[in-house]
Amino acid sequence: MTKPDVRHHPQTPVYSHKINDPFWSHYIELVRSVVVPYQWEALNDRIEGAEPSRAIRNFRIAAGEEEGVHYGMVFQDSDVAKWIEAAAYLLSAKPDPELEVLVDSVIETIARAQQPDGYLNTYFTLREPGARWTNLAECHELYCAGHMIEAGVAYYHATGKRMLLDVVIRLADHIGTVFGAEPGQLLGYDGHQEIELALFKLYETTREKKYLELSRYFLDQRGASPHFFVEEWEKRGRTIHFGELDMVHRHTYSQSHLPVREQSTAEGHAVRLVYMCAAMTDVATETGDTSLREASERLWSNIVSKRMFITGSIGSSAKEEAFTGDYDLPGDTAYAETCASIGLIFWAKRMLQLNQDSRYADVMERALYNTVISGMSLDGQRFFYVNPLEVDPEIQRLNPIYAHVRTRRQGWFGCACCPPNIARLLASLDQYVYTPVVEQATLYVQLYIGGEAEFTLEDRRAWLTMDSDYTSTGEVKLIVRPDSSEGMEFTVALRKPDWCVNPELWINGENTDQDGFILESGYMKVTRTWKSGDEIRLHFPMELLRMKGHDHIRATFGKVALQRGPFMYCLEEVDNGRGLHRIQLPRDAQFSVGSGERMPLGVPALTTIGRRMVSDEDWGIHLYRSDVQWDIQPAELRFIPYFTWANRDEGEMSVWIRECE
Amino acid sequence: MTKPDVRHHPQTPVYSHKINDPFWSHYIELVRSVVVPYQWEALNDRIEGAEPSRAIRNFRIAAGEEEGVHYGMVFQDSDVAKWIEAAAYLLSAKPDPELEVLVDSVIETIARAQQPDGYLNTYFTLREPGARWTNLAECHELYCAGHMIEAGVAYYHATGKRMLLDVVIRLADHIGTVFGAEPGQLLGYDGHQEIELALFKLYETTREKKYLELSRYFLDQRGASPHFFVEEWEKRGRTIHFGELDMVHRHTYSQSHLPVREQSTAEGHAVRLVYMCAAMTDVATETGDTSLREASERLWSNIVSKRMFITGSIGSSAKEEAFTGDYDLPGDTAYAETCASIGLIFWAKRMLQLNQDSRYADVMERALYNTVISGMSLDGQRFFYVNPLEVDPEIQRLNPIYAHVRTRRQGWFGCACCPPNIARLLASLDQYVYTPVVEQATLYVQLYIGGEAEFTLEDRRAWLTMDSDYTSTGEVKLIVRPDSSEGMEFTVALRKPDWCVNPELWINGENTDQDGFILESGYMKVTRTWKSGDEIRLHFPMELLRMKGHDHIRATFGKVALQRGPFMYCLEEVDNGRGLHRIQLPRDAQFSVGSGERMPLGVPALTTIGRRMVSDEDWGIHLYRSDVQWDIQPAELRFIPYFTWANRDEGEMSVWIRECE
């Protein structure tokens, strides 16, 4: 096995990072030992009691290895692709011959399922071979292709094996013949964005400009007039695949209501939007395309300053899994899909390549440390698609506005987008920690996730060991080892998290004041000739923050949410009893950090004395009364990190708590 | 024209009441001059820009007077029936030869549309003549029949004309042959309750026991096993009429999940439930049926003590227009349909015949003075189906959980249940004012709506003139005139409204203390030999009430709603600016009553100084911040009666306001 001759994004020099972190290694190990093996069983229909996926069987049938009919959704193939991608990241981090054998075997089947012209999609190959590319609005052909491209690229980088990379190159080249402005080509794009960012990855790996151009082509076609989805619908005789939702005419759903460069508010299906924006940012960074860059920045600002929940989740409406409007952020009916926060992280990583500004990394951290890991149970076996900020199971069961909300995580089945997305994000988390920027000779530290990194700046190599206790004490130590005994001059830009007012920084044991670094765009920048063994020590004091929402947000007004370090906190019924709406937190409440029973992963619980409002009246038959006074009782409150909610008894949960004097 | 020989419910002696009231006459006049004429035009497809109803045309076609095809919903016929019923009540109150001619003409058409066997339904006659009585779950055949029976009875009482009464007697007799326990008969009932209470009215008018029995039969079949809706669905080949909602298997929707006598919580479609309960109460009162009586009482208690909005509206969920669960009363996503409150009033009137307890009349008043008249604009031209307690038009437009909510009243069109229901309730409001109970020799005064009443107790007649300023000053004067110079001994039971702590009562100018009357079940009972000209004067001091919701209601906790007399109040954006969620009402706020511009119908506005919380920070790009203090500014607040909302500029509205120290 030879390591590939990988070429890279000019602004993203080689770096690799092996995570070794008291908090995140737990999650990555879960992905390795529980999630990926379980998903393999699921893809092979071996989970008792679960609806069979048939995703791998579809490929076998298309490959001629088995007889049968296609089963499942139009996008069933993407489950296999996302699994391969996650497995590839695990293999990058640590050899696992057994896992590699499984991946190789499924790749061989996929290669055989590819059609002679390069087309690859089991749904259309098996069910509607004559109807390829006739329903882009609904049928996810390019979406599935995109995931397979991501898998092919990831597996190539992990193992140097080209089989799947060659498959997806043939697939991408085939797509390049189908779409375009030449006569006979389609002026189209997919209803669900994904191909755009995948083609960019293929471009980064192969340096073939045509994939960059095709990615940009798909971005530019979206929202053009006449509307492609309407035209193809007319052409195919006005048939609809998903009866319940008119994707053909509901253009905001797929962000095709306007050319992407003209969009300034986040509309429609949240996952689609952030996948699209990730690709826009890629292309803007690579080509210097100003209007794409400005559109990315506008959409980012609209989300983070008007349409994001405090847990880093997005999508205020279950219907269409969509954004609604500015400041409409209801924590109970929120969609707040795990996948949407994962997509926001994909995008944030790219915004950090475009602009080195810590605000992007702050949002990345918020989404990762709260919503993404809320999406998975602490044992890695169950998943939330929807991550509400407030639940009451008794009411949730009865009122249909909560039909999408679960108060218990679910197994992995059916339309299984979130679990494999969590797996591939966590397995590739090493890619999100640093941003090396060659032309600034700067290594940006975005996330304080411990491990061993190797990176190259100006053709000189260095290693960095990060020892991180960021999630419990806020202490981080970095040891630099340049590949030269003379040392190496470059800048280390250490993100100052938005939650930390006064970080402390020591270089080789010496406490630096403002003169020891430059604070720029949210980073503490230390420039020097680094010698082997130089030590950077950081302390991010974790003040407890009483967060407030913007005064235009109806749902949070008059309430407070607790944050400590990167973690949002919540109250659960199991600790605090029923009726969380009757609990108030005094403005001057004093908290104990970490008392009581040990919390998972060392992130402490917070306890304080709050108030519980109790009615001193016998309400009897009355539902409303005029002569009511509330009895204010002291109440011992226990806040737990949001990501740990719903791992014990089912019950009420609330992130936002009423504040009182 | 001879007045009919009307026989009556034994517990409900003859009384008639001509309303003459400074508040309610306005509404009744609107019904006469605007609503009923407009609806006639609508039923005849003469409203420009509105979707044609074709309801009358359907009857013409079925009558052979015109060629064509049926148009509209399966329940289109009921719009005509409800219009006739409303017109009949108007004719009862005041002759109107022009109107009577119109009604007579449409009745002649209806009579010709009736089939030889008595069947009457234009949808099935014209569209699916072979499919009669094959889809009771969905197709409203008995519902339409019920409305026609109500119309026939009302028009007979109003005019003495029997044509429509005879039509509905033939229809009822036909129904009696189709349904029953005999071989070949159907063990069924309608998906939408209505026939039950209509048959009871037909029984009251004709004294034919068979209609009472048929009413009870339908009540008793509901919820029986095996389930009729499933059986008929199997029999007809599993077809579904309304694809979007499975009425066949969703049994709570039509309250057929349990036998009615076993139900103890209000479930499913709110209008259906209250129509059903009205009939249950009728039958229980008439027959002394204990388990029906107990079920009515249980369901009533469940609603008014756990599932009713403070405006007297019901139905917490738009999906299925249904109840959800105890204490789940979200004012913004509420369905709170006008028709459901009207049905609650129908039921309350019957509960008052079953039990003379003012609690039922208190709820009737709450629904009538708030939700029902909120359902119609002050000019009688536009209508709300949904009566929310909190709106923000900007958010409502964007978030699909509010898709059912309008912030502007709509014209009368399409599925037009609420406007004709408002018309028939207001036109028959005289029937809700008094409950004479012969065996107690008592005349209960339920609502203080002025006018001239004639009633009979123990075969002796008396007149009562009520001069009411109940809605503005709380002053009411009643003059008694027995039909005998010796006077007449009976009890006048004057309801003590639940909102009034210390009512004052004068008999012939003499202030009575506790000795002058007996307070029993919420009534001030005055028993004496009434002489002609005896005067009862009442004053209900209108303290401003700061209402609180039960502490289990999440949506109202920490908030206060203002009530003065029977009216709930609200804040509107047009008076108080944007951001009503930022307004707080201090516990000791002092109010001015009636200052500022004149309010419609003399119900005063309330003004006070409250607080507006304003952020002293420049939020800039921030959506969440930890260092926020609110600047508290005094804010002049103007509360208007809830029923008058949305009659000026569109904007935010809120009944419940945050309370502060």
Side-chain angles (χ1 to χ4, degrees), chain A residues 348-372:
Chain A
K349 171 179 168 31
R350 288 157 173 87
M351 288 303 274
L352 288 166
Q353 283 162 345
L354 183 63
N355 290 323
Q356 288 76 45
D357 188 313
S358 69
R359 289 187 293 122
Y360 303 112
D362 288 333
V363 170
M364 179 193 275
E365 179 176 278
R366 189 171 287 280
L368 180 65
Y369 285 71
N370 296 286
T371 296
V372 172

PDB file of all heavy atoms in Angstrom, chain A residues 348-372:
ATOM      1  N   ALA A 348     -18.846  26.233   8.542  1.00  0.00           N
ATOM      2  CA  ALA A 348     -17.980  27.062   9.393  1.00  0.00           C
ATOM      3  C   ALA A 348     -16.505  26.787   9.100  1.00  0.00           C
ATOM      4  O   ALA A 348     -15.688  27.710   9.004  1.00  0.00           O
ATOM      5  CB  ALA A 348     -18.289  26.795  10.862  1.00  0.00           C
ATOM      6  N   LYS A 349     -16.164  25.516   8.946  1.00  0.00           N
ATOM      7  CA  LYS A 349     -14.781  25.134   8.616  1.00  0.00           C
ATOM      8  C   LYS A 349     -14.327  25.854   7.341  1.00  0.00           C
ATOM      9  O   LYS A 349     -13.198  26.347   7.254  1.00  0.00           O
ATOM     10  CB  LYS A 349     -14.733  23.618   8.415  1.00  0.00           C
ATOM     11  CG  LYS A 349     -13.430  23.060   7.858  1.00  0.00           C
ATOM     12  CD  LYS A 349     -13.581  21.541   7.748  1.00  0.00           C
ATOM     13  CE  LYS A 349     -12.512  20.803   6.961  1.00  0.00           C
ATOM     14  NZ  LYS A 349     -11.177  21.314   6.941  1.00  0.00           N
ATOM     15  N   ARG A 350     -15.214  25.949   6.371  1.00  0.00           N
ATOM     16  CA  ARG A 350     -14.866  26.596   5.096  1.00  0.00           C
ATOM     17  C   ARG A 350     -14.824  28.123   5.252  1.00  0.00           C
ATOM     18  O   ARG A 350     -14.000  28.784   4.634  1.00  0.00           O
ATOM     19  CB  ARG A 350     -15.858  26.157   4.034  1.00  0.00           C
ATOM     20  CG  ARG A 350     -15.619  24.684   3.635  1.00  0.00           C
ATOM     21  CD  ARG A 350     -16.831  24.026   3.048  1.00  0.00           C
ATOM     22  NE  ARG A 350     -16.560  22.701   2.541  1.00  0.00           N
ATOM     23  CZ  ARG A 350     -16.598  21.579   3.267  1.00  0.00           C
ATOM     24  NH1 ARG A 350     -16.889  21.631   4.569  1.00  0.00           N
ATOM     25  NH2 ARG A 350     -16.338  20.408   2.720  1.00  0.00           N
ATOM     26  N   MET A 351     -15.719  28.669   6.083  1.00  0.00           N
ATOM     27  CA  MET A 351     -15.662  30.111   6.330  1.00  0.00           C
ATOM     28  C   MET A 351     -14.329  30.479   6.998  1.00  0.00           C
ATOM     29  O   MET A 351     -13.787  31.554   6.760  1.00  0.00           O
ATOM     30  CB  MET A 351     -16.834  30.551   7.226  1.00  0.00           C
ATOM     31  CG  MET A 351     -18.192  30.543   6.546  1.00  0.00           C
ATOM     32  SD  MET A 351     -18.321  31.563   5.042  1.00  0.00           S
ATOM     33  CE  MET A 351     -18.714  33.163   5.723  1.00  0.00           C
ATOM     34  N   LEU A 352     -13.798  29.569   7.796  1.00  0.00           N
ATOM     35  CA  LEU A 352     -12.517  29.834   8.459  1.00  0.00           C
ATOM     36  C   LEU A 352     -11.357  29.801   7.482  1.00  0.00           C
ATOM     37  O   LEU A 352     -10.288  30.361   7.747  1.00  0.00           O
ATOM     38  CB  LEU A 352     -12.294  28.820   9.586  1.00  0.00           C
ATOM     39  CG  LEU A 352     -13.184  29.033  10.811  1.00  0.00           C
ATOM     40  CD1 LEU A 352     -13.158  27.804  11.713  1.00  0.00           C
ATOM     41  CD2 LEU A 352     -12.760  30.285  11.577  1.00  0.00           C
ATOM     42  N   GLN A 353     -11.560  29.120   6.353  1.00  0.00           N
ATOM     43  CA  GLN A 353     -10.528  29.159   5.320  1.00  0.00           C
ATOM     44  C   GLN A 353     -10.638  30.435   4.501  1.00  0.00           C
ATOM     45  O   GLN A 353      -9.651  30.989   4.040  1.00  0.00           O
ATOM     46  CB  GLN A 353     -10.639  27.909   4.440  1.00  0.00           C
ATOM     47  CG  GLN A 353     -10.058  26.694   5.168  1.00  0.00           C
ATOM     48  CD  GLN A 353     -10.488  25.358   4.606  1.00  0.00           C
ATOM     49  OE1 GLN A 353     -11.447  25.264   3.832  1.00  0.00           O
ATOM     50  NE2 GLN A 353      -9.782  24.315   5.003  1.00  0.00           N
ATOM     51  N   LEU A 354     -11.889  30.911   4.389  1.00  0.00           N
ATOM     52  CA  LEU A 354     -12.142  32.149   3.646  1.00  0.00           C
ATOM     53  C   LEU A 354     -11.718  33.379   4.465  1.00  0.00           C
ATOM     54  O   LEU A 354     -11.072  34.291   3.955  1.00  0.00           O
ATOM     55  CB  LEU A 354     -13.640  32.214   3.317  1.00  0.00           C
ATOM     56  CG  LEU A 354     -14.162  33.364   2.476  1.00  0.00           C
ATOM     57  CD1 LEU A 354     -13.561  33.344   1.074  1.00  0.00           C
ATOM     58  CD2 LEU A 354     -15.695  33.284   2.374  1.00  0.00           C
ATOM     59  N   ASN A 355     -12.141  33.406   5.723  1.00  0.00           N
ATOM     60  CA  ASN A 355     -11.859  34.525   6.638  1.00  0.00           C
ATOM     61  C   ASN A 355     -11.373  33.946   7.951  1.00  0.00           C
ATOM     62  O   ASN A 355     -12.109  33.179   8.572  1.00  0.00           O
ATOM     63  CB  ASN A 355     -13.160  35.269   7.005  1.00  0.00           C
ATOM     64  CG  ASN A 355     -13.740  36.037   5.860  1.00  0.00           C
ATOM     65  OD1 ASN A 355     -13.014  36.609   5.055  1.00  0.00           O
ATOM     66  ND2 ASN A 355     -15.062  36.057   5.797  1.00  0.00           N
ATOM     67  N   GLN A 356     -10.217  34.366   8.403  1.00  0.00           N
ATOM     68  CA  GLN A 356      -9.766  33.847   9.692  1.00  0.00           C
ATOM     69  C   GLN A 356     -10.336  34.743  10.784  1.00  0.00           C
ATOM     70  O   GLN A 356      -9.715  35.699  11.216  1.00  0.00           O
ATOM     71  CB  GLN A 356      -8.240  33.752   9.748  1.00  0.00           C
ATOM     72  CG  GLN A 356      -7.712  32.630   8.878  1.00  0.00           C
ATOM     73  CD  GLN A 356      -7.727  32.972   7.401  1.00  0.00           C
ATOM     74  OE1 GLN A 356      -7.327  34.059   7.013  1.00  0.00           O
ATOM     75  NE2 GLN A 356      -8.219  32.057   6.559  1.00  0.00           N
ATOM     76  N   ASP A 357     -11.548  34.408  11.149  1.00  0.00           N
ATOM     77  CA  ASP A 357     -12.247  35.179  12.174  1.00  0.00           C
ATOM     78  C   ASP A 357     -12.852  34.173  13.158  1.00  0.00           C
ATOM     79  O   ASP A 357     -13.563  33.255  12.748  1.00  0.00           O
ATOM     80  CB  ASP A 357     -13.346  36.029  11.519  1.00  0.00           C
ATOM     81  CG  ASP A 357     -13.978  37.000  12.502  1.00  0.00           C
ATOM     82  OD1 ASP A 357     -14.319  36.582  13.630  1.00  0.00           O
ATOM     83  OD2 ASP A 357     -14.143  38.175  12.136  1.00  0.00           O
ATOM     84  N   SER A 358     -12.576  34.383  14.443  1.00  0.00           N
ATOM     85  CA  SER A 358     -12.976  33.373  15.428  1.00  0.00           C
ATOM     86  C   SER A 358     -14.491  33.205  15.546  1.00  0.00           C
ATOM     87  O   SER A 358     -14.959  32.206  16.076  1.00  0.00           O
ATOM     88  CB  SER A 358     -12.399  33.730  16.797  1.00  0.00           C
ATOM     89  OG  SER A 358     -13.030  34.895  17.293  1.00  0.00           O
ATOM     90  N   ARG A 359     -15.247  34.183  15.039  1.00  0.00           N
ATOM     91  CA  ARG A 359     -16.707  34.055  15.134  1.00  0.00           C
ATOM     92  C   ARG A 359     -17.210  32.769  14.481  1.00  0.00           C
ATOM     93  O   ARG A 359     -18.171  32.171  14.950  1.00  0.00           O
ATOM     94  CB  ARG A 359     -17.382  35.258  14.483  1.00  0.00           C
ATOM     95  CG  ARG A 359     -17.232  36.547  15.255  1.00  0.00           C
ATOM     96  CD  ARG A 359     -18.064  37.659  14.631  1.00  0.00           C
ATOM     97  NE  ARG A 359     -17.580  38.053  13.315  1.00  0.00           N
ATOM     98  CZ  ARG A 359     -18.304  38.014  12.201  1.00  0.00           C
ATOM     99  NH1 ARG A 359     -19.562  37.599  12.237  1.00  0.00           N
ATOM    100  NH2 ARG A 359     -17.795  38.401  11.050  1.00  0.00           N
ATOM    101  N   TYR A 360     -16.575  32.393  13.393  1.00  0.00           N
ATOM    102  CA  TYR A 360     -17.010  31.161  12.724  1.00  0.00           C
ATOM    103  C   TYR A 360     -16.722  29.941  13.580  1.00  0.00           C
ATOM    104  O   TYR A 360     -17.530  29.025  13.677  1.00  0.00           O
ATOM    105  CB  TYR A 360     -16.335  31.041  11.354  1.00  0.00           C
ATOM    106  CG  TYR A 360     -16.598  32.235  10.467  1.00  0.00           C
ATOM    107  CD1 TYR A 360     -15.594  33.125  10.110  1.00  0.00           C
ATOM    108  CD2 TYR A 360     -17.892  32.485  10.004  1.00  0.00           C
ATOM    109  CE1 TYR A 360     -15.855  34.238   9.319  1.00  0.00           C
ATOM    110  CE2 TYR A 360     -18.156  33.596   9.210  1.00  0.00           C
ATOM    111  CZ  TYR A 360     -17.135  34.470   8.871  1.00  0.00           C
ATOM    112  OH  TYR A 360     -17.398  35.559   8.101  1.00  0.00           O
ATOM    113  N   ALA A 361     -15.543  29.969  14.210  1.00  0.00           N
ATOM    114  CA  ALA A 361     -15.184  28.828  15.058  1.00  0.00           C
ATOM    115  C   ALA A 361     -16.041  28.793  16.325  1.00  0.00           C
ATOM    116  O   ALA A 361     -16.348  27.725  16.856  1.00  0.00           O
ATOM    117  CB  ALA A 361     -13.702  28.889  15.411  1.00  0.00           C
ATOM    118  N   ASP A 362     -16.449  29.973  16.803  1.00  0.00           N
ATOM    119  CA  ASP A 362     -17.333  30.003  17.974  1.00  0.00           C
ATOM    120  C   ASP A 362     -18.656  29.301  17.675  1.00  0.00           C
ATOM    121  O   ASP A 362     -19.198  28.560  18.500  1.00  0.00           O
ATOM    122  CB  ASP A 362     -17.609  31.456  18.391  1.00  0.00           C
ATOM    123  CG  ASP A 362     -16.391  32.130  19.021  1.00  0.00           C
ATOM    124  OD1 ASP A 362     -15.537  31.425  19.591  1.00  0.00           O
ATOM    125  OD2 ASP A 362     -16.291  33.373  18.929  1.00  0.00           O
ATOM    126  N   VAL A 363     -19.175  29.549  16.483  1.00  0.00           N
ATOM    127  CA  VAL A 363     -20.433  28.894  16.100  1.00  0.00           C
ATOM    128  C   VAL A 363     -20.217  27.397  15.895  1.00  0.00           C
ATOM    129  O   VAL A 363     -21.040  26.565  16.300  1.00  0.00           O
ATOM    130  CB  VAL A 363     -21.020  29.553  14.826  1.00  0.00           C
ATOM    131  CG1 VAL A 363     -22.175  28.739  14.272  1.00  0.00           C
ATOM    132  CG2 VAL A 363     -21.462  30.985  15.136  1.00  0.00           C
ATOM    133  N   MET A 364     -19.077  27.060  15.273  1.00  0.00           N
ATOM    134  CA  MET A 364     -18.738  25.644  15.088  1.00  0.00           C
ATOM    135  C   MET A 364     -18.727  24.933  16.429  1.00  0.00           C
ATOM    136  O   MET A 364     -19.305  23.858  16.608  1.00  0.00           O
ATOM    137  CB  MET A 364     -17.357  25.560  14.433  1.00  0.00           C
ATOM    138  CG  MET A 364     -16.871  24.163  14.195  1.00  0.00           C
ATOM    139  SD  MET A 364     -15.099  24.164  13.776  1.00  0.00           S
ATOM    140  CE  MET A 364     -15.179  24.452  12.027  1.00  0.00           C
ATOM    141  N   GLU A 365     -18.061  25.559  17.409  1.00  0.00           N
ATOM    142  CA  GLU A 365     -17.968  24.976  18.751  1.00  0.00           C
ATOM    143  C   GLU A 365     -19.353  24.850  19.393  1.00  0.00           C
ATOM    144  O   GLU A 365     -19.700  23.834  19.980  1.00  0.00           O
ATOM    145  CB  GLU A 365     -17.067  25.858  19.611  1.00  0.00           C
ATOM    146  CG  GLU A 365     -16.914  25.362  21.029  1.00  0.00           C
ATOM    147  CD  GLU A 365     -15.926  26.227  21.810  1.00  0.00           C
ATOM    148  OE1 GLU A 365     -14.719  26.002  21.679  1.00  0.00           O
ATOM    149  OE2 GLU A 365     -16.380  27.140  22.544  1.00  0.00           O
ATOM    150  N   ARG A 366     -20.153  25.892  19.254  1.00  0.00           N
ATOM    151  CA  ARG A 366     -21.496  25.890  19.850  1.00  0.00           C
ATOM    152  C   ARG A 366     -22.334  24.729  19.303  1.00  0.00           C
ATOM    153  O   ARG A 366     -22.999  24.003  20.044  1.00  0.00           O
ATOM    154  CB  ARG A 366     -22.178  27.241  19.565  1.00  0.00           C
ATOM    155  CG  ARG A 366     -23.486  27.473  20.291  1.00  0.00           C
ATOM    156  CD  ARG A 366     -23.973  28.916  20.109  1.00  0.00           C
ATOM    157  NE  ARG A 366     -23.179  29.868  20.868  1.00  0.00           N
ATOM    158  CZ  ARG A 366     -23.332  30.091  22.173  1.00  0.00           C
ATOM    159  NH1 ARG A 366     -24.266  29.462  22.860  1.00  0.00           N
ATOM    160  NH2 ARG A 366     -22.555  30.974  22.791  1.00  0.00           N
ATOM    161  N   ALA A 367     -22.274  24.555  17.990  1.00  0.00           N
ATOM    162  CA  ALA A 367     -23.061  23.485  17.363  1.00  0.00           C
ATOM    163  C   ALA A 367     -22.518  22.109  17.756  1.00  0.00           C
ATOM    164  O   ALA A 367     -23.288  21.187  18.034  1.00  0.00           O
ATOM    165  CB  ALA A 367     -23.036  23.650  15.845  1.00  0.00           C
ATOM    166  N   LEU A 368     -21.184  22.000  17.794  1.00  0.00           N
ATOM    167  CA  LEU A 368     -20.558  20.702  18.062  1.00  0.00           C
ATOM    168  C   LEU A 368     -20.745  20.246  19.502  1.00  0.00           C
ATOM    169  O   LEU A 368     -21.116  19.103  19.761  1.00  0.00           O
ATOM    170  CB  LEU A 368     -19.061  20.804  17.731  1.00  0.00           C
ATOM    171  CG  LEU A 368     -18.206  19.548  17.949  1.00  0.00           C
ATOM    172  CD1 LEU A 368     -18.646  18.428  17.008  1.00  0.00           C
ATOM    173  CD2 LEU A 368     -16.715  19.875  17.731  1.00  0.00           C
ATOM    174  N   TYR A 369     -20.495  21.147  20.455  1.00  0.00           N
ATOM    175  CA  TYR A 369     -20.511  20.776  21.877  1.00  0.00           C
ATOM    176  C   TYR A 369     -21.928  20.701  22.445  1.00  0.00           C
ATOM    177  O   TYR A 369     -22.111  20.331  23.595  1.00  0.00           O
ATOM    178  CB  TYR A 369     -19.695  21.777  22.700  1.00  0.00           C
ATOM    179  CG  TYR A 369     -18.193  21.620  22.549  1.00  0.00           C
ATOM    180  CD1 TYR A 369     -17.557  21.981  21.368  1.00  0.00           C
ATOM    181  CD2 TYR A 369     -17.414  21.084  23.573  1.00  0.00           C
ATOM    182  CE1 TYR A 369     -16.179  21.839  21.224  1.00  0.00           C
ATOM    183  CE2 TYR A 369     -16.028  20.939  23.441  1.00  0.00           C
ATOM    184  CZ  TYR A 369     -15.422  21.323  22.258  1.00  0.00           C
ATOM    185  OH  TYR A 369     -14.062  21.182  22.107  1.00  0.00           O
ATOM    186  N   ASN A 370     -22.896  21.094  21.661  1.00  0.00           N
ATOM    187  CA  ASN A 370     -24.262  21.087  22.180  1.00  0.00           C
ATOM    188  C   ASN A 370     -25.177  20.242  21.298  1.00  0.00           C
ATOM    189  O   ASN A 370     -25.474  19.108  21.637  1.00  0.00           O
ATOM    190  CB  ASN A 370     -24.739  22.531  22.357  1.00  0.00           C
ATOM    191  CG  ASN A 370     -23.901  23.268  23.400  1.00  0.00           C
ATOM    192  OD1 ASN A 370     -24.053  23.014  24.585  1.00  0.00           O
ATOM    193  ND2 ASN A 370     -22.978  24.117  22.970  1.00  0.00           N
ATOM    194  N   THR A 371     -25.563  20.753  20.132  1.00  0.00           N
ATOM    195  CA  THR A 371     -26.545  20.011  19.337  1.00  0.00           C
ATOM    196  C   THR A 371     -26.013  18.697  18.778  1.00  0.00           C
ATOM    197  O   THR A 371     -26.692  17.667  18.855  1.00  0.00           O
ATOM    198  CB  THR A 371     -27.067  20.893  18.196  1.00  0.00           C
ATOM    199  OG1 THR A 371     -27.765  22.001  18.767  1.00  0.00           O
ATOM    200  CG2 THR A 371     -28.024  20.124  17.308  1.00  0.00           C
ATOM    201  N   VAL A 372     -24.801  18.702  18.209  1.00  0.00           N
ATOM    202  CA  VAL A 372     -24.333  17.475  17.547  1.00  0.00           C
ATOM    203  C   VAL A 372     -24.272  16.315  18.527  1.00  0.00           C
ATOM    204  O   VAL A 372     -24.777  15.227  18.251  1.00  0.00           O
ATOM    205  CB  VAL A 372     -22.972  17.690  16.853  1.00  0.00           C
ATOM    206  CG1 VAL A 372     -22.416  16.362  16.353  1.00  0.00           C
ATOM    207  CG2 VAL A 372     -23.125  18.657  15.694  1.00  0.00           C
TER     208      VAL A 372
END
